[in-house]
Amino acid sequence: LAKTTQPISMDSYEGQEVNITCSHNNIATNDYITWYQQFPSQGPRFIIQGYKTKVTNEVASLFIPADRKSSTLSLPRVSLSDTAVYYCLVGEWSGGFKTIFGAGTRLFVKA
Amino acid sequence: DAGVTQSPTHLIKTRGQQVTLRCSPKSGHDTVSWYQQALGQGPQFIFQYYEEEERQRGNFPDRFSGHQFPNYSSELNVNALLLGDSALYLCASSLWSGGSSYEQYFGPGTRLTVT
């Protein structure tokens, strides 16, 4: 199983760009990298997913280097409402999908 | 378009009892996964159901069992409840994509308290 390692917490200010890096040294060839956001007492919410290079959607960008041993979630111009826990995970396919969540990164955005 | 729904929202049980939690997947989804999330921890994968069969299982004892119905909804059953089973139980639905990219939609969860 590909385990992931992320910083435990990060602080930022409103309007700044936030980059959260995740390490996944044992990622398998077919694995995708997925990021989720979770607010207290709610289920995680899908943010972005990628396989290699760069992926961008309306809320975030995901950068994946050629060796795919790490990935970086980039949140442009964060606001107070972006304060949440962010999870990086790698899904393993083996006749079904088993996803392993780590402890996540607690992002705190200050005014 | 209804998202993932779970019931009940909250539940209080006594140690040794049994509990059943329910989940309806997002419209169009055929796969349901269950997670346990203790306070301050990331979600822990319990198992995944597709075509009414358990396809993957995490590191949980046999006290945890499940079922998927023909309409894709699912139940999570926990027998002989322990105090340590107190957690937020999350249901996630997805499409059975056969190993390609994988996106899950999570429900709001059921908060189980065991006393």
Side-chain angles (χ1 to χ4, degrees), chain A residues 30 32 34 36 38 41-46 49 87 89 91-104 106, chain B residues 35 37 40-45 48 55-58 88 90 96-104 106-108 111:
Chain A
N30 294 330
Y32 274 69
T34 311
Y36 286 85
Q38 187 177 27
S41 299
Q42 294 184 25
R45 182 177 73 99
F46 174 88
Q49 183 176 68
Y87 294 98
L89 60 152
E92 176 186 279
W93 176 263
S94 179
F97 231 113
K98 179 185 292 187
T99 49
I100 308 299
F101 282 79
R106 297 181 181 278
Chain B
Y35 294 82
Q37 187 173 27
Q41 305 292 320
Q44 300 299 305
F45 177 81
Q48 180 182 73
R55 300 292 178 158
Q56 279 287 337
R57 189 178 183 91
L88 181 69
L90 295 162
W96 185 259
S97 55
S100 62
S101 64
Y102 186 60
E103 178 179 343
Q104 299 178 87
F106 283 81
R111 173 71 63 186

Side-chain angles (χ1 to χ4, degrees), chain A residues 21-69:
Chain A
T21 297
C22 177
S23 170
H24 28 79
N25 291 319
N26 297 321
I27 189 169
T29 303
N30 294 330
D31 287 343
Y32 274 69
I33 300 151
T34 311
W35 286 80
Y36 286 85
Q37 175 193 55
Q38 187 177 27
F39 299 110
S41 299
Q42 294 184 25
R45 182 177 73 99
F46 174 88
I47 300 175
I48 197 166
Q49 183 176 68
Y51 183 79
K52 62 180 179 181
T53 64
K54 177 183 175 181
V55 180
T56 298
N57 62 21
E58 63 276 8
V59 298
S61 294
L62 179 60
F63 299 90
I64 305 169
D67 66 8
R68 304 201 327 123
K69 293 184 182 299

Side-chain angles (χ1 to χ4, degrees), chain B residues 13-86:
Chain B
K13 289 287 188 178
T14 302
R15 189 172 47 187
Q17 286 187 318
Q18 177 265 342
V19 68
T20 298
L21 310 181
R22 295 176 176 80
C23 171
S24 291
K26 177 180 169 62
S27 178
H29 283 182
D30 56 11
T31 303
V32 173
S33 300
W34 286 92
Y35 294 82
Q36 179 195 66
Q37 187 173 27
L39 204 59
Q41 305 292 320
Q44 300 299 305
F45 177 81
I46 303 176
F47 41 53
Q48 180 182 73
Y49 277 84
Y50 170 68
E51 289 188 332
E52 303 178 49
E53 289 188 15
E54 183 182 292
R55 300 292 178 158
Q56 279 287 337
R57 189 178 183 91
N59 190 27
F60 279 79
D62 292 343
R63 299 187 297 109
F64 289 79
S65 63
H67 188 78
Q68 185 180 35
F69 299 94
N71 66 353
Y72 308 120
S73 67
S74 177
E75 288 182 349
L76 164 66
N77 300 292
V78 186
N79 294 322
L81 284 167
L82 304 173
L83 296 179
D85 295 331
S86 294

